[in-house]
């Protein structure tokens, strides 16, 4: 039966109650996080609104910044009842997006505003953003929105609506997840439901009945596959009425999803909605197996998730995968073999949350915005994360485009925030990719009992200490 409860990532190390730190008596109700210079949303919208409502707030944007303000900002952030984060369209907002993902994962009351770009011509620091970089930024935004909505939190496009909703949350003492249309929010119902998880269940049922070499099922097999994942049999009379019943016909996985979606369209259920989406997730002619690289069946728990930089980066094929295979461990590789599309996100999340260790490699030759957002989120969740971060160097070429100093500074600020976050949360952090992969392998509890295999196929006795990944609470 289908349970309306959010799945727990296999990499979750230890759930910990996060009591806010004891702060001084000037506790503020709202923390004004998000994009800073050259934005003016705090001065023009947020501060006048909260002053009028008599709601206290902390503004981290100051004219003269001093190092001692870091501790004050951290205290204000921890003690605030509500965190307002604005991701504007005038800055890259790299650090702000990573921080929003992290705080959302921690279960904090976060209201996020994301300003759309008004045109295809976008400028940061008076430099025109290329179409390739804009695609990277948009991908990061889409992934952040998905992660927020998986926690049943709305994402706003209008700051004035968000401000009104924040006042409602504070004055009525209701959680952000319960904001509805009457407050101007677009509610996220069942935000934790994983369409990717449904696809994997359907794929598992399909594969269990597939005994032919062409990867197709007869209608008798489809009835059995449906029963294995739904618990009851397809209506044979409906199949005949729709002209589907023919002993000589065979059907692909995509056609199997279509038949189920058509059948369940008669029912107003969660399954019906999910199957409708699943029917449209897989592009025509592209199967789930051909998009993602795994060395196990999809119904399995994987050992290591190979997250991080994609694009021109070849660290997976050249370093990580050979090392992991040497120890006979399983992995999943999110680097898609076709053009990345938004509809891939649910399947990537489903695979990621089946992994016991999340390895994120942020190279200096990619922007890696999406990967940094994901890493921040799963650190906040308390998952077992191993991180490798390399700083970006100005004048580096990414996808044939030269990275300016201003752009490199923005992405490096995001890297610095992620490094600081990992250090505070006790996550193992590296600059060398091989060392990070070794740490991910060593963090698996049974790694010490695994004997690596040489290229000739003969076991090699190599002894390395089994050092677990340091998390925020090492006590099991």
């Amino acid at each position: 039966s289908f349970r309306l409860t959010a799945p727990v990532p296999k990499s979750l190390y230890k759930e910990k109650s996060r009591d806010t730190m004891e702060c001084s008596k000037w506790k503020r109700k709202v923390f004004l996080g998000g994009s800073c210079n050259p934005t003016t949303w705090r001065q023009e919208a947020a501060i006048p609104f909260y002053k009028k409502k008599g709601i206290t707030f902390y503004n981290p944007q100051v004219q003269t910044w001093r190092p001692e303000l870091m501790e004050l900002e951290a205290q204000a952030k921890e003690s605030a009842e509500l965190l307002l984060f604005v991701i504007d369209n005038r800055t890259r907002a790299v650090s702000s997006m990573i921080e929003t993902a992290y705080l959302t994962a921690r279960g904090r009351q976060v209201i996020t505003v994301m300003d759309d770009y008004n045109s295809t011509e976008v400028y940061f620091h008076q430099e025109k953003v290329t179409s390739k970089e804009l695609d990277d930024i948009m991908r990061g935004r889409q992934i952040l929105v998905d992660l927020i909505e998986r926690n049943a939190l709305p994402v706003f496009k209008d700051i004035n609506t968000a401000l009104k909703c924040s006042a409602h949350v504070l004055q009525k003492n209701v959680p952000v997840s319960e904001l509805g249309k009457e407050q101007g929010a677009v509610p996220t119902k069942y935000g934790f439901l994983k369409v990717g998880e449904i696809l994997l269940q359907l794929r598992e049922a399909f594969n269990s009945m597939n005994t032919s070499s062409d990867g197709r099922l007869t209608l008798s097999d489809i009835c059995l596959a449906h029963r294995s994942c739904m618990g009851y049999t397809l209506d044979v009379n409906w199949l005949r009425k729709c002209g589907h019943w023919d002993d000589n016909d065979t059907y692909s996985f995509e056609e199997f999803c279509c038949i189920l979606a058509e059948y369940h369209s008669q029912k107003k259920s969660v399954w019906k909605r999910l199957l409708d989406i699943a029917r449209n997730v897989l592009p025509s002619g592209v199967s789930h197996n051909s998009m993602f690289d795994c060395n196990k069946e999809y119904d399995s728990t994987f050992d290591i998730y190979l997250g991080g930089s994609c694009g021109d980066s070849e660290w997976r094929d050249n370093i990580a995968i050979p090392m992991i295979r040497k120890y006979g461990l399983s992995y999943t590789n999110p680097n898609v073999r076709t053009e990345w599309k938004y509809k891939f996100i649910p399947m990537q999340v489903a695979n990621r949350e089946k992994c016991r260790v999340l390895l994120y490699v942020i190279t200096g030759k990619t922007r890696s915005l999406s990967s940094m957002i994901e890493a921040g989120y799963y650190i906040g969740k308390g998952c077992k994360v191993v991180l490798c971060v390399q700083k970006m160097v100005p004048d580096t070429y990414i996808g044939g485009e030269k990275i300016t100093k201003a752009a490199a500074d923005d992405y490096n600020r995001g890297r610095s925030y992620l490094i600081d976050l990992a250090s505070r949360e006790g996550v193992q952090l590296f600059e060398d990719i091989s060392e990070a992969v070794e740490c991910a392998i060593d963090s698996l509890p049974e790694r010490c009992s695994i004997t690596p295999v040489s290229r000739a196929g003969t076991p090699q006795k190599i002894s390395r200490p089994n050092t677990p990944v340091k998390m925020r609470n090492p006590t099991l």
Side-chain angles (χ1 to χ4, degrees):
S1 62
F2 190 81
R3 296 182 299 109
L4 294 182
T5 56
V8 176
K10 299 295 183 182
S11 55
L12 190 66
Y13 184 73
K14 179 75 173 178
E15 289 200 61
K16 178 183 176 183
S17 61
R18 295 183 173 90
D19 298 326
T20 56
M21 67 174 68
E22 185 176 351
C23 299
S24 57
K25 59 185 179 182
W26 49 260
K27 176 178 176 180
R28 320 296 173 81
K29 285 187 174 293
V30 184
F31 180 85
L32 304 181
S35 303
C36 289
N37 296 324
T39 64
T40 56
W41 64 268
R42 291 177 178 86
Q43 290 76 18
E44 294 178 358
I47 292 176
F49 176 85
Y50 288 128
K51 282 184 175 180
K52 185 177 180 181
K53 293 287 184 179
I55 297 173
T56 58
F57 57 88
Y58 181 86
N59 178 15
Q61 187 176 17
V62 295
Q63 291 183 345
T64 306
W65 187 86
R66 306 183 306 277
E68 56 267 27
L69 292 176
M70 291 179 64
E71 181 61 24
L72 289 176
E73 180 178 330
Q75 289 185 8
K77 198 179 302 176
E78 282 296 323
S79 64
E81 295 180 28
L82 182 72
L83 303 164
L84 176 67
F85 273 79
V86 176
I87 313 299
D88 82 312
N89 55 17
R90 299 175 62 190
T91 65
R92 292 181 174 88
V94 179
S95 300
S96 296
M97 285 195 275
I98 300 170
E99 187 171 22
T100 302
Y102 166 72
L103 293 169
T104 298
R106 283 187 53 183
R108 298 293 303 275
Q109 294 296 299
V110 181
I111 286 184
T112 306
V113 182
M114 192 169 292
D115 291 338
D116 289 333
Y117 292 108
N118 298 324
S119 68
T120 55
E121 290 193 358
V122 178
Y123 289 83
F124 300 138
H125 308 291
Q126 299 181 335
E127 296 175 352
K128 185 177 179 180
V129 178
T130 66
S131 60
K132 289 183 179 179
E133 182 182 3
L134 190 57
D135 286 344
D136 280 353
I137 294 173
M138 292 304 299
R139 185 181 301 115
R141 284 173 163 234
Q142 289 171 336
I143 286 174
L144 177 59
V145 169
D146 179 79
L147 293 174
I148 293 170
E149 292 185 345
R150 285 176 186 277
N151 289 269
L153 300 178
V155 177
F156 295 86
K157 293 186 177 181
D158 175 62
I159 188 170
N160 293 318
T161 303
L163 290 171
K164 292 176 183 177
C165 284
S166 70
H168 178 81
V169 167
L170 294 169
Q171 293 168 350
K172 301 295 184 180
N173 195 27
V174 297
V176 175
S177 58
E178 291 187 9
L179 290 171
K181 292 182 179 179
E182 58 272 17
Q183 287 85 41
V186 179
T188 307
K189 191 175 182 180
Y190 305 133
F192 54 81
L193 290 180
K194 309 286 196 296
V195 175
E197 189 72 25
I198 302 304
L199 279 171
L200 298 185
Q201 291 179 25
L202 294 177
R203 169 59 74 178
E204 178 184 351
F206 186 90
N207 287 346
S208 67
M209 302 297 165
N210 182 20
T211 57
S212 62
S213 59
D214 60 358
R216 300 176 71 85
L217 299 184
T218 64
L219 270 173
S220 297
D221 292 334
I222 281 180
C223 288
L224 287 174
H226 177 273
R227 185 172 183 177
S228 70
C229 62
M230 300 293 188
Y232 57 92
T233 308
L234 275 171
D235 186 345
V236 175
N237 292 327
W238 177 83
L239 288 168
R240 288 196 178 102
K241 182 179 178 181
C242 294
H244 287 309
W245 194 268
D246 189 327
D247 290 335
N248 297 320
D249 286 344
T250 58
Y251 298 85
S252 66
F253 173 65
E254 289 79 9
E255 292 166 335
F256 170 61
C257 290
C258 289
I259 291 175
L260 265 63
E262 186 177 350
Y263 180 68
H264 286 270
S265 65
Q266 308 167 77
K267 306 175 182 293
K268 294 182 179 180
S269 64
V270 174
W271 271 104
K272 187 265 176 185
R273 294 206 319 275
L274 291 174
L275 285 166
D276 281 342
I277 300 172
R279 178 175 56 178
N280 297 304
V281 165
L282 293 177
S284 176
V286 179
S287 69
H288 187 279
N289 287 329
S290 67
M291 287 191 291
F292 306 110
D293 175 25
C294 302
N295 62 347
K296 286 182 71 176
E297 292 297 324
Y298 288 99
D299 59 334
S300 303
T301 295
F302 301 100
D303 291 318
I304 300 175
Y305 177 77
L306 300 179
S309 301
C310 296
D312 297 335
S313 179
E314 298 179 348
W315 66 270
R316 293 176 178 85
D317 292 332
N318 294 344
I319 301 173
I321 293 176
M323 292 178 66
I324 292 171
R325 285 178 173 170
K326 183 178 180 181
Y327 286 90
L329 298 173
S330 61
Y331 65 88
T332 179
N333 178 3
N335 192 12
V336 297
R337 298 171 182 173
T338 60
E339 181 185 356
W340 188 91
K341 296 181 180 179
Y342 176 75
K343 61 178 68 175
F344 292 165
I345 292 178
M347 288 180 286
Q348 290 178 327
V349 172
N351 271 345
R352 186 184 310 136
E353 297 194 348
K354 286 178 176 286
C355 297
R356 299 160 65 200
V357 179
L358 306 179
L359 171 65
Y360 279 94
V361 174
I362 313 300
T363 70
K365 296 183 178 180
T366 56
R367 297 182 185 92
S368 299
L369 175 58
S370 301
S371 299
M372 290 192 287
I373 292 170
E374 287 179 11
Y377 179 82
Y378 286 104
I379 290 173
K381 277 288 185 186
C383 294
K384 187 176 290 187
V385 177
V386 178
L387 194 59
C388 175
V389 181
Q390 299 172 347
K391 289 296 185 75
M392 181 182 287
V393 179
D395 299 332
T396 297
Y397 282 84
I398 298 177
E401 296 178 351
K402 190 175 181 180
I403 301 301
T404 65
K405 183 181 184 303
D409 288 345
D410 282 349
Y411 289 108
N412 281 335
R413 271 190 287 272
R415 283 163 165 79
S416 296
Y417 175 80
L418 188 60
I419 289 171
D420 178 67
L421 177 61
S423 300
R424 286 188 280 112
E425 296 288 357
V427 173
Q428 291 279 23
L429 181 64
F430 301 88
E431 288 187 51
D432 183 79
I433 297 175
S434 297
E435 291 180 0
V437 176
E438 282 189 15
C439 178
I441 294 171
D442 288 344
S443 68
L444 294 165
E446 72 280 14
R447 211 292 303 166
C448 55
S449 64
I450 298 175
T451 304
V453 179
S454 68
R455 292 183 180 178
T458 57
Q460 294 178 333
K461 292 185 178 180
I462 297 179
S463 177
R464 291 211 309 267
N466 183 26
T467 306
V469 174
K470 294 180 181 178
M471 296 300 296
R472 62 174 64 89
N473 187 349
T475 304
L476 291 174

